[in-house]
Amino acid sequence: MTTASVPLPNWISYGLIPLLNLMLAFFFSGLVVWAIGENPLKALNFLIQGSLGRGDAIGFTLFYTTSFIFTGLSVAVAFHAGLFNIGSEGQAYVGGLGAALAALALDHYVPWYVTMPFAIAGAAIFGAAWALIPAWLQAKRGSHVVITTIMFNFIGAALMVYLLVNVFIVPGKMAPETRTFLPGGQLPKLDWLMGLFGLDQGPAPFNVSFLIALVMCYLVWLLIWRTKLGYEMRTLGISPSAAIYAGVPYVRTVIIAMLISGGLAGMMALNAVNGAAARLQVEFVAGAGFVGIAVSLMGRSHPVGIILAAFLFGILYQGGADLSFEMPSITRDMIVVIQGLVILFAGALEYMLRPTVVRIYQQFVKA
Amino acid sequence: MEFFDIFVSILGSAVRLSVPLLFTALAGLFSERAGVFDIGLEGKMLAAAFASACAAYVTDSAWMGLLAGIGVSIVFSLVHGFASITNRGNQIVSGVALNFIALGLTVVLGQAWFGQGGRTPQVSGEGRFTPIILPGADAMREVPIIGPLYVNVISGNNILTYIAFLMVPIAWWVLFRTRFGLRLRAVGENPGAVDTAGISVAWMRYRAVIVAGFLCGFAGTYLSVAQSAAFIHNMSAGKGYIALAALIFAKWKPVPVMLACLLFGFLDAFANFMQGKSVPLIGEVPVQIFQAMPYILTCVLLAGFIGVARAPRAGGVPYVKER
């Protein structure tokens, strides 16, 4: 008898199995650290110290967390509709253009809280626009969204480099980036929030976009589980043929799901562009779009799971920077390895342990 | 005559730039024709490039480098197979995971072993595949038109380049003229029928991904011990994805795959040539247009404006016997 159809309680399916997969991923990461001649436990200690040990470390960790919440939500929304959006990276990159344009246009005239809604809208609209063509191609022409979003990541990167080098560059400067935004175009840091916990974030760029990210988590939860559109998206994700038979408009649902996904990815730029750098730079996304894939898989596409997974990756990113400083033989690229292993075990091999768990569970239930 | 010389030199570099694309796209051809999508081509190429640079440095033999590259690439293929064939995991997720593991692990290990910031030491002499001058190249040099083409495009490439173009008819023959190829294609179109005929779908798909790993090993080796003389961080730089685009652009057929790779290689070479030059009436054409062109062309194709690209029917779907 196969074990695939045996029902398991939710705490096993959504708690125990993901946790076991995660532990496997970390076990193999530890093996890599051990293989290059370092002590994995000592490395783990540096990692935790470097990401949670001081106020500024926590500030940086939460800064990364914010970016990953946006991209994780982006991947998750598309995933619920059965679409695998690999293009969050490119959508966030182009979204930066919208966020930067709003800031550049308004920062001379108004305070930041007037600019903010325009920056949010700009980032979301530009991000969504970058998802529109892949969405249309998927819905109307049946070309796989995975392939087209990969292509659009590269096209987006070429476009942004062109714009920054030829259009936005400050005359007389070498770096391909826009001018620095005035405070009216920036998102202020959350020093007061850190202050509540008696922490000082120092130079860390933890900013208001964190709160925007939390609001978005709530809105995504509302959308997916409390609206008709969300219901239609989930139906489409589970069984496209059943959804179409039940009257779900396929083309419309696919395109809207991808636009929301692209918009959420674009909003990641609020954190990096308006919040941290105060200017639009080449490659500012720095892989956050791809981390979103890992975050969404680990968080089981649920906003609460995504917040936890994003925080974990925030710890990895910030702690990894510190770790490479303390242990020079371990470079920052170790994070990329861990990220890959998490995607492998939590995503591609998610069913690997299930038969074993089912067998153990049945023994317990029988006894 | 000056224009012709420039054309020949661009053509020569187009051939050299299309070699890694060709190996990788043919790898994807075998895997995807068997119904296993492979986003992980990029990662396999990168891992192979690292392995072969290390092995070539240590043993001072380019052939040992090639062997190591193929070995590591096949290991990656087997992990992909284990996840997507045995465990019926999502093939795209597995490919994405392997790309990250390759991207990170090559630098982590490179730094730990050689301490040069993720680079491997330079290989030289026997450790590299060097250009081969074909017989008669000197004599042909003076012949108009054919002479420069023979000397700069046909001759003067390394052995891997010739293997790459030799692989095209071989791939065609294997896929369309052998029993193995028929079964491989059948498993990508209708695995249920293959299963009914008493052939193991899983083992068939495993063999397909192993072939893919084998070919990616050549691609990686070409990058690190033929085209350059060392491994550097992320040296595949998206070539795996361009190869994927070429594969789709060629509608999953061997000879069109070669033409698509040559086209994308030519675009790359042309972009290098055009850098900083201005065109009459238009002015300087931004390099980014050429860089984005393979992807734009593929999207236009996918939109259905240049014929329809139909993927293997069972592509991306894990096979479940009970259904």
Side-chain angles (χ1 to χ4, degrees):
Chain A
M1 197 185 97
T2 56
T3 50
S5 55
V6 178
L8 286 174
N10 278 346
W11 69 269
I12 295 185
S13 294
Y14 297 105
L16 184 66
I17 292 182
L19 198 69
L20 287 174
N21 284 333
L22 194 65
M23 280 163 63
L24 264 180
F26 284 123
F27 172 73
F28 277 93
S29 310
L31 271 187
V32 172
V33 172
W34 175 77
I36 57 179
E38 294 284 357
N39 183 347
L41 291 176
K42 225 165 119 189
L44 184 67
N45 188 32
F46 282 128
L47 196 85
I48 305 277
Q49 282 297 319
S51 58
L52 301 172
R54 306 177 308 270
D56 64 319
I58 296 177
F60 270 105
T61 300
L62 289 174
F63 163 72
Y64 288 121
T65 306
T66 310
S67 288
F68 301 154
I69 291 177
F70 281 122
T71 52
L73 287 176
S74 161
V75 177
V77 167
F79 216 71
H80 276 294
L83 302 161
F84 195 37
N85 180 11
I86 280 194
S88 300
E89 183 82 9
Q91 289 143 16
Y93 205 172
V94 177
L97 189 59
L101 284 177
L104 289 171
L106 296 171
D107 65 348
H108 278 292
Y109 312 108
V110 292
W112 68 270
Y113 47 85
V114 180
T115 311
M116 188 177 78
F118 291 98
I120 295 176
I125 290 170
F126 275 70
W130 206 244
L132 178 63
I133 296 176
W136 180 80
L137 285 173
Q138 164 84 33
K140 279 284 200 184
R141 299 284 184 165
S143 48
H144 212 299
V145 78
V146 170
I147 303 295
T148 45
T149 48
I150 290 176
M151 306 287 136
F152 267 71
N153 282 343
F154 286 101
I155 301 172
L159 175 75
M160 292 297 286
V161 171
Y162 171 74
L163 287 176
L164 283 167
V165 171
N166 295 291
V167 181
F168 288 110
I169 195 166
V170 181
K173 288 232 177 142
M174 283 303 287
E177 55 189 31
T178 64
R179 69 171 170 84
T180 306
F181 309 150
L182 300 174
Q186 300 181 15
L187 290 172
K189 290 184 181 184
L190 285 176
D191 289 304
W192 58 270
L193 186 64
M194 298 287 279
L196 287 182
F197 297 95
L199 295 164
D200 174 20
Q201 69 162 316
F206 176 52
N207 63 78
V208 168
S209 13
F210 178 68
L211 303 179
I212 303 172
L214 293 184
V215 172
M216 286 302 144
C217 284
Y218 176 68
L219 290 180
V220 165
W221 175 80
L222 214 61
L223 168 77
I224 301 289
W225 282 281
R226 288 293 180 273
T227 66
K228 180 163 167 267
L229 177 65
Y231 181 77
E232 290 177 340
M233 279 166 51
R234 281 184 293 138
T235 317
L236 197 64
I238 293 166
S239 168
S241 51
I244 293 163
Y245 187 69
V248 173
Y250 176 76
V251 171
R252 204 192 70 181
T253 314
V254 164
I255 291 184
I256 292 179
M258 279 301 287
L259 289 182
I260 296 172
S261 175
L264 286 165
M267 287 165 75
M268 172 265 163
L270 296 171
N271 189 38
V273 175
N274 303 61
R279 51 172 110 73
L280 185 62
Q281 293 165 306
V282 171
E283 296 280 325
F284 76 86
V285 185
F290 295 118
V291 180
I293 299 170
V295 166
S296 172
L297 285 170
M298 252 181 68
R300 297 265 144 169
S301 301
H302 190 287
V304 174
I306 286 171
I307 293 174
L308 294 175
F311 186 59
L312 182 77
F313 271 95
I315 291 175
L316 285 178
Y317 264 68
Q318 169 54 24
D322 238 47
L323 175 63
S324 60
F325 188 71
E326 300 282 349
M327 289 183 164
S329 61
I330 302 177
T331 67
R332 274 202 79 165
D333 300 85
M334 189 63 216
I335 313 164
V336 182
V337 179
I338 300 176
Q339 188 183 325
L341 288 167
V342 167
I343 297 178
L344 186 69
F345 284 101
L349 290 170
E350 61 177 329
Y351 306 122
M352 182 174 66
L353 294 175
R354 201 174 185 278
T356 320
V357 173
V358 165
R359 235 167 278 135
I360 296 169
Y361 173 71
Q362 281 175 329
Q363 298 243 311
F364 268 96
V365 172
K366 256 184 235 156
Chain B
M1 211 48 215
E2 196 190 328
F3 173 77
F4 183 72
D5 284 344
I6 292 169
F7 177 73
V8 166
S9 98
I10 293 177
L11 211 60
S13 77
V15 167
R16 285 182 276 282
L17 288 168
S18 64
V19 171
L21 300 181
L22 188 50
F23 277 125
T24 317
L26 288 174
L29 180 69
F30 276 93
S31 183
E32 303 210 346
R33 275 284 183 160
V36 183
F37 279 158
D38 201 348
I39 302 283
L41 294 170
E42 172 85 10
K44 284 204 271 279
M45 194 189 332
L46 194 62
F50 177 72
S52 56
C54 292
Y57 170 72
V58 173
T59 64
D60 219 14
S61 152
W63 291 101
M64 287 310 288
L66 178 64
L67 212 62
I70 290 172
V72 166
S73 178
I74 288 179
V75 168
F76 269 69
S77 275
L78 289 176
V79 174
H80 185 53
F82 179 68
S84 58
I85 303 169
T86 306
N87 284 295
R88 296 166 197 161
N90 187 321
Q91 297 169 2
I92 311 260
V93 175
S94 163
V96 170
L98 290 174
N99 283 345
F100 281 124
I101 293 174
L103 183 62
L105 206 54
T106 48
V107 179
V108 169
L109 293 180
Q111 170 68 17
W113 290 344
F114 304 110
Q116 299 184 2
R119 292 177 64 103
T120 60
Q122 295 275 330
V123 287
S124 53
E126 287 298 298
R128 284 191 69 192
F129 288 107
T130 43
I132 299 167
I133 307 296
L134 291 186
D138 276 330
M140 291 285 283
R141 201 173 288 273
E142 298 308 315
V143 182
I145 305 207
I146 311 170
L149 273 177
Y150 183 76
V151 174
N152 293 313
V153 182
I154 313 269
S155 168
N157 293 305
N158 60 65
I159 183 92
L160 294 183
T161 308
Y162 299 111
I163 295 177
F165 285 92
L166 201 65
M167 282 294 177
V168 178
I170 293 176
W172 174 83
W173 185 77
V174 168
L175 277 175
F176 295 96
R177 286 294 178 276
T178 65
R179 181 195 299 214
F180 171 74
L182 178 70
R183 288 174 174 179
L184 188 144
R185 284 181 294 129
V187 120
E189 293 288 336
N190 189 344
V194 179
D195 201 12
T196 314
I199 300 156
S200 163
V201 173
W203 171 226
M204 204 58 230
R205 286 190 168 170
Y206 262 110
R207 278 189 282 176
V209 296
I210 290 170
V211 173
F214 175 75
L215 289 169
C216 281
F218 281 90
T221 306
Y222 182 84
L223 289 181
S224 64
V225 303
Q227 202 172 37
S228 30
F231 174 86
I232 52 171
H233 171 237
N234 194 19
M235 79 183 308
S236 54
K239 285 193 178 63
Y241 297 113
I242 297 196
L244 205 59
L247 178 62
I248 299 164
F249 198 72
K251 300 167 190 173
W252 292 271
K253 293 190 184 87
V255 176
V257 159
M258 178 184 77
L259 298 176
C261 289
L262 281 171
L263 172 68
F264 292 171
F266 184 79
L267 282 171
D268 200 0
F270 194 65
N272 290 342
F273 169 74
M274 288 303 289
Q275 206 144 22
K277 292 195 180 63
S278 73
V279 180
L281 299 177
I282 310 170
E284 194 175 316
V285 181
V287 219
Q288 288 85 13
I289 288 187
F290 296 105
Q291 287 166 353
M293 198 53 87
Y295 307 110
I296 295 173
L297 282 176
T298 307
C299 285
V300 170
L301 172 83
L302 285 171
F305 296 128
I306 328 175
V308 183
R310 198 187 64 78
R313 197 183 300 274
V317 189
Y319 180 64
V320 185
K321 220 182 176 87
E322 290 98 285
R323 252 177 225 158

